[in-house]
Structure formats: C-alpha cells, structure tokens
Amino acid sequence: MTPPSSDLLNIFIVYFTNFINYVVSIIELFMVFEQKQDSMKKTLEASLPKPPQREKKKLFPDSNLFAHWGENLSDDDQKEAQALFQQYGYNVFLSDRLPLDRVLPDTRDPRCATKKYPKDLPSIGVVLIYFNEALSVIKRAIRSIIDRTPKHLLKEIIMVDDHSTNENLKGDLDMYVKSIEKQNPDLRIIRVKHPKQRGLAQARISGWRAATADVVAVLDAHIEVHELWAEPLLTQIQADRTVVVSPVFDKVKYDDLSVSPYLPASHAFDWALWCMYESFMPEWYKLNDTSLPGKSPSVMGIFVADRKYLGEIGVLDGGMHIYGGENVELGIRVWTCGGSIEVVPCSRIAHIERHHKPYMPDLSFAMKRNALRVAEVWMDGYKHNVNLAWNLPFKDHGIDIGDVSERKKLREKLKCKPFKWYLDNVYPMLDSWDNIVSYGGMKNINATMCIDQGPVPGHTPIAYGCFYYLPQHTFYRTSGELYIGGLKSHKYNDNRCLTDDGNKDNEPGLYNCKEAMQKGMGIYWDFTQGKEMKNRQTKRCLEIINKKLIIQECTGQRWEMQNIIEAL
C-alpha cells in the first residue's frame, strides 16, 4: 500500500535536512583546515628573516621644506614640491592637495566665545593683494572670507593683481572667480590689474580706491580668516571711526601649513623700520584679560579701517617702492594726526609665513629707501636715526627717496603732532639715540684695519680688514661708551661696550654695558677723530700690533670713524 503524500513529504524533509547538515559539516572542516594552514604559514613567515625595508631617499636634504615634512614622498613628488617651494617660498605642493575650506583651530582666548556683537555693524570690503601668489592659496583665502564673514556684512572682495606673470592666475583664476560669483550673486567681486608692478603701497591704494563698503580690510592673499574675524574689528570701528585696527595673526608654517597661534602683541618697529612684535603697554597687562584690544604703535601691513577716514588722512604713501616702510608710515601718521591703532585679539587671521620672498630676495635696498622717505616726512630731528640704523651718512647718501612735498603738505594740513610726542606717548620704548656723535666703521689709520666684534658668541673684539657691515658697525656716545656690532633700538635691550678691565694679557673685551659696569670694567673712552682711543679708567690705548687688537701703553696710533655727527 502506498504511504500517504504527507508521510512522503516528511520523509523527504528529514533526508534533505540530514543532507544539508552533512554539507555544512564538510564546509566547516575545510574552514578549520584553511585556518590551520594560514596559521602555519604566518608562523613560518615570522620565523624567516625579513628582507630589509628600503628607506625613501631625501633628494634635497638641505632644503628647509623637507626638514620636518615629506618623509614618504616619491622622487618625482619631492622634485615637484622643491621646485614649487623655491618659486613661492611656501609649500604649494601641499596647498594644492588641501581642502579649500579646511577647518582652522580656534586659537582665541576662551572669553572671546562669550562676547556678543551688534547686528547693525558697518559693511566691509576685503582687499586681497597678490603678486604671483599660488592659485590654491588665493582660492583658499577667498573661500574662507566668504564662508566666515556674515553675508549681510560682506559687501565686496577686491582682488588687486600687482602685475602677476603666472599663467594660472589668468584663465584658471578667472574661472574660479566666475564660479564664486554664480554662487554668491549679491557679492561684488572686483578685479584690479596693474599694467606693471607698483609695490605693496600702490596695490593697497588701488584696492582702497575700488572699495565702496563702509569699512575696508586690507589683507594679503596668503591668508585664511577664522570664524568671527570681522565682527570684533567692525565693533571697534563703529565705536570710533578714527581707530585703525588689526587682527592677531596666527602663523601658518611654510612647510606643513599647520597653524600655530601667536600671543596678542602690539605691532612695532626698530630704527631701520623693520617691523617686529612688541609688548603692549603695562596698563593692558594689569587688566588681566587677553581678549581685550590693546594699543599699538604701528601695523604689520594687514589692517582694517573706516574707508572714508582712511582717505581723509591720506591712505598710504604712494611714493613707496615695492616693499617695506608703508606700515610704519601709516602708524606714525594715524597716531600723530589724531587717530589711534589697536590690535584686537578676538579677531584672528591665519597668515602664511614665507621662508623667503621670491619677488625680491634682497629687500634691503627698497626698505632702506622707504625708511629714509618716512624719516624725512615724519621724524623731525630724529630722522637721522634711520641713517644710523642703516649706516648711511646724513648727507649725500646717494639714495633717491623721490618727491615728498605732497606728504609734507598733508602733514601740515592735518595739523599733526611732532614726532617727539609720538616717542613720549605712543612708543616710549624706542630709544631716542640722543647723544651719538659718530658711527660706522672704525679704522686704525696706522694699520689700515678696522675694529670687528669677532666671533659670536664671544667677548673678544678683533682687528680685521675693513668691510663696514654690521660686525664692524661702531657707535660712540658723548658719555664715552663705544658700542661694537650694532646699536639696539629699544631701551630694554643692552648694547655691547668695548672694555678695558686692566688685565695683563692686554686683550680688550666686549660685554653688555650694564654687566661691564657692575664688574668695574672700564667702558668709557676718550676719542678725537684722527687721534688715539684712550680708556679713561686705565689710561691705556686701543691699538693694533701685528694685526692683533690689543690694549697697551699709548704709542700714538690714530683712529678714524666712518661718519661724524658732531666735531670730535
């Protein structure tokens, strides 16, 4: 008799289930076998000696670009990165591979995050100055400004091209700007192109002329703005239209483009007019709040100001060449003509610090000329301190500073205070150098050699062939001190004095003047141009015997200083 269909189905299910279980068990056996095989293989491989790993060779071991970056780059990538580094002074190879909207660390004082700013702030126009800048760097600057500036405040971006020659700053940049305009139809983007290179001051003036916003921010193109960069600056200007403000700059390292915060500090300068950071006035530190704005003698070059006010006080000196001095000129002019300058710590801008400036490897000539121009217009009786700093004669220095008559008329029109007021009230830490009577190289007429500071560090001056650069710069004061190896611009720094401590080995010394005085060394000398150099304390003379600088009983050797201010 045939079993019912339901029984047949059950029998089938039982047999099928057993078959499936059998197959699964076979597969599991194979998997266990393979795992054991893999384990044995790894054990065997571990027991065998490993072939040596080939290290990537550094093709440019002396390049600053590769000192802390680029370990795993191929040879071709190293060559490309080095070529771009030499061309731009920073790591364009890496910049081209970073997001245009990369996130920046918040480097502000935590108290900045709690501050509230008015909604009805003035509109702002941002001026970007560039000359043969890397395309990706310019793009990142524009992107950061658009993304991190409130749309109702950002009226315009003015791009000033100081006669760039790079091809990708033509078509490629044009295409990027057009895409930005499509994405931001309410934002004005203005292009200004110079037919020839005019320098920083003229480029910034061109940007100011093209601007229409209430406030103009004059920036470099190798920057990235942080979140809430504009509001703190605009708030200060809204409260006082005569204040020129600057953010705190964070350092973008030229090699790995990482961001390092700088502490808030004022922007200042030395007598050569090189810019530098300086402490705020003591009153700022007593407030114990590093989120508060601090007064500053000058600006570093990046600044933000009421557009109309900046025009009223003469914008910048268009007679400046290429680079340098225009920031100090603006600082002195703003302060002495009724305004003020502040650094605002709650505003931060990340700024690429170049390793070198490719457009002018040696900035000294342009800087020297511009410094003399500033001195002639603004520094009154202190103008010759710039000559001292650059070791230039007061007259007939051979440098054409251009026509300054219009700038002098501007100073009269604005009824600006004298430079002494600026030294006394704004920048009292700048040493006025009142009693220098001669300076430059000091030559022994008999031996036809000069005093030189000798090895540094070290405390022994030497006789050396005259070449009249910094190691041989000497300065003689009416009080009798003779400084060797430069003259410090600030009161808190000590100069190095020529000394005679009366030692029997007859060697002169070179020590910080305060230290030498404390140790009782003879630091005061009698000197008359063309005659001997005698120590007032020991009555011995500075002389050169067999090409060696010594101190001994006077034999009548004569000295002469390169530049004389007052008859000696």
Side-chain angles (χ1 to χ4, degrees):
M1 190 171 92
T2 304
S5 60
S6 59
D7 291 341
L8 288 173
L9 179 62
N10 290 332
I11 292 168
F12 175 77
I13 290 173
V14 169
Y15 275 104
F16 184 75
T17 302
N18 289 337
F19 175 74
I20 293 298
N21 290 334
Y22 174 75
V23 172
V24 169
S25 64
I26 294 297
I27 292 173
E28 288 176 345
L29 283 172
F30 273 109
M31 291 177 66
V32 171
F33 178 75
E34 287 182 353
Q35 288 175 356
K36 287 183 177 180
Q37 287 288 91
D38 288 342
S39 177
M40 291 174 64
K41 183 180 179 183
K42 289 178 181 177
T43 303
L44 181 63
E45 287 176 348
S47 66
L48 294 173
K50 294 182 178 179
Q53 293 289 324
R54 184 181 176 185
E55 292 185 4
K56 296 269 186 193
K57 180 184 177 183
K58 280 192 175 183
L59 299 183
F60 307 97
D62 298 327
S63 171
N64 290 92
L65 176 63
F66 295 102
H68 306 288
W69 174 85
E71 285 292 330
N72 299 314
L73 290 183
S74 68
D75 288 0
D76 287 344
D77 284 349
Q78 288 186 61
K79 291 175 183 176
E80 180 184 352
Q82 177 66 12
L84 290 168
F85 178 61
Q86 290 176 327
Q87 182 180 355
Y88 292 98
Y90 51 75
N91 194 342
V92 177
F93 180 89
L94 177 59
S95 174
D96 291 347
R97 289 156 178 79
L98 289 177
L100 296 183
D101 60 349
R102 70 167 177 163
V103 177
L104 298 180
D106 188 350
T107 57
R108 301 172 302 165
D109 184 300
R111 284 168 283 202
C112 294
T114 65
K115 294 182 183 293
K116 304 296 182 184
Y117 301 103
K119 297 293 184 184
D120 60 338
L121 290 169
S123 63
I124 187 169
V126 178
V127 176
L128 291 178
I129 308 297
Y130 62 95
F131 169 71
N132 284 343
E133 202 77 69
L135 177 61
S136 61
V137 167
I138 297 176
K139 286 181 176 181
R140 193 171 293 110
I142 295 172
R143 183 78 268 160
S144 73
I145 292 164
I146 292 172
D147 290 349
R148 296 167 186 157
T149 312
K151 293 187 183 300
H152 72 283
L153 297 179
L154 183 60
K155 183 177 182 180
E156 59 205 3
I157 297 176
I158 300 107
M159 302 171 62
V160 182
D161 182 346
D162 194 25
H163 196 59
S164 295
T165 56
N166 291 355
E167 285 300 318
N168 64 358
L169 294 185
K170 297 173 185 177
D172 292 349
L173 183 56
D174 292 343
M175 289 175 60
Y176 181 72
V177 170
K178 287 177 181 176
S179 70
I180 291 294
E181 289 174 326
K182 287 181 180 179
Q183 297 167 15
N184 303 271
D186 296 329
L187 176 65
R188 296 177 69 230
I189 297 186
I190 304 158
R191 308 286 298 277
V192 178
K193 296 183 180 181
H194 287 172
K196 64 178 182 179
Q197 189 178 5
R198 295 178 179 172
L200 277 175
Q202 282 284 2
R204 288 166 175 160
I205 293 170
S206 294
W208 171 83
R209 284 186 182 136
T212 60
D214 301 322
V215 169
V216 60
V218 181
L219 312 181
D220 294 333
H222 45 278
I223 58 93
E224 297 162 74
V225 300
H226 284 258
E227 296 285 354
L228 285 169
W229 76 280
E231 292 91 320
L233 304 173
L234 295 174
T235 299
Q236 295 302 110
I237 293 171
Q238 186 180 57
D240 179 3
R241 71 184 293 266
T242 69
V243 65
V244 175
V245 293
S246 176
V248 171
F249 308 132
D250 288 332
K251 174 183 175 181
V252 178
K253 297 178 183 177
Y254 62 78
D255 52 1
D256 63 5
L257 301 185
S258 61
V259 178
S260 298
Y262 274 161
L263 294 174
S266 69
H267 302 169
F269 55 92
D270 61 17
W271 278 114
L273 270 56
W274 292 112
C275 57
M276 53 176 285
Y277 286 112
E278 180 76 270
S279 298
F280 288 122
M281 297 290 276
E283 293 76 13
W284 185 83
Y285 295 97
K286 291 176 182 176
L287 298 172
N288 199 28
D289 185 351
T290 58
S291 72
L292 296 175
K295 299 296 184 183
S296 178
S298 186
V299 294
M300 285 286 188
I302 288 178
F303 63 92
V304 183
D306 180 283
R307 179 176 58 84
K308 291 183 179 178
Y309 171 70
L310 191 60
E312 291 165 10
I313 64 167
V315 195
L316 291 170
D317 182 356
M320 297 288 188
H321 282 181
I322 309 298
Y323 176 93
E326 77 286 339
N327 55 320
V328 176
E329 192 271 349
L330 176 64
I332 296 170
R333 176 161 40 91
V334 167
W335 275 109
T336 59
C337 303
S340 63
I341 295 174
E342 292 180 352
V343 173
V344 183
C346 286
S347 173
R348 293 269 178 166
I349 289 182
H351 177 267
I352 296 178
E353 194 166 281
R354 293 183 194 265
H355 174 263
H356 56 274
K357 290 182 168 59
Y359 52 84
M360 183 175 275
D362 183 6
L363 297 169
S364 60
F365 182 78
M367 187 70 206
K368 191 185 304 181
R369 176 200 176 275
N370 292 346
L372 289 169
R373 187 176 172 90
V374 174
E376 183 62 33
V377 176
W378 296 100
M379 291 186 176
D380 306 324
Y382 298 91
K383 67 181 181 180
H384 294 309
N385 287 356
V386 172
N387 299 66
L388 287 172
W390 286 101
N391 193 32
L392 296 170
F394 285 11
K395 296 180 180 179
D396 303 324
H397 48 63
I399 298 174
D400 181 8
I401 65 171
D403 184 8
V404 296
S405 59
E406 291 301 315
R407 301 308 285 181
K408 287 185 174 182
K409 288 178 183 177
L410 174 69
R411 187 183 181 190
E412 292 177 9
K413 174 187 172 184
L414 296 175
K415 299 179 179 176
C416 304
K417 296 181 178 70
F419 189 69
K420 187 178 188 309
W421 175 90
Y422 178 85
L423 288 178
D424 292 342
N425 296 277
V426 179
Y427 201 5
M429 288 297 100
L430 196 62
D431 191 336
S432 58
W433 289 357
D434 290 322
N435 60 351
I436 302 292
V437 290
S438 60
Y439 64 99
M442 189 163 192
K443 180 179 179 181
N444 184 295
I445 299 173
N446 302 82
T448 63
M449 298 180 76
C450 283
I451 299 176
D452 189 288
Q453 68 179 0
V456 176
H459 298 284
T460 306
I462 62 174
Y464 202 83
C466 300
F467 57 88
Y468 301 121
Y469 286 107
L470 185 61
Q472 295 185 356
H473 287 182
T474 60
F475 302 84
Y476 183 64
R477 296 196 108 135
T478 53
S479 51
E481 297 108 314
L482 180 70
Y483 306 139
I484 302 176
L487 181 63
K488 304 297 184 182
S489 292
H490 301 91
K491 294 176 182 177
Y492 49 76
N493 287 327
D494 200 5
N495 292 294
R496 303 182 79 202
C497 278
L498 179 71
T499 66
D500 178 9
D501 61 3
N503 63 67
K504 294 181 181 179
D505 58 12
N506 297 342
E507 275 194 351
L510 189 59
Y511 292 88
N512 288 340
C513 300
K514 291 176 183 177
E515 176 189 354
M517 286 185 66
Q518 291 170 355
K519 293 182 177 179
M521 299 179 184
I523 67 169
Y524 299 109
W525 301 80
D526 287 323
F527 168 63
T528 300
Q529 180 78 330
K531 295 186 179 179
E532 64 189 11
M533 170 73 73
K534 179 186 287 189
N535 189 274
R536 293 178 185 174
Q537 182 172 314
T538 66
K539 306 302 181 185
R540 301 195 299 178
C541 282
L542 185 71
E543 300 191 346
I544 296 177
I545 302 296
N546 296 325
K547 298 184 178 181
K548 183 178 180 180
L549 191 67
I550 64 171
I551 295 176
Q552 63 177 14
E553 295 299 320
C554 302
T555 65
Q557 285 195 7
R558 298 175 298 138
W559 295 87
E560 64 180 9
M561 195 79 88
Q562 192 177 5
N563 299 297
I564 302 297
I565 301 173
E566 297 178 12
L568 296 172

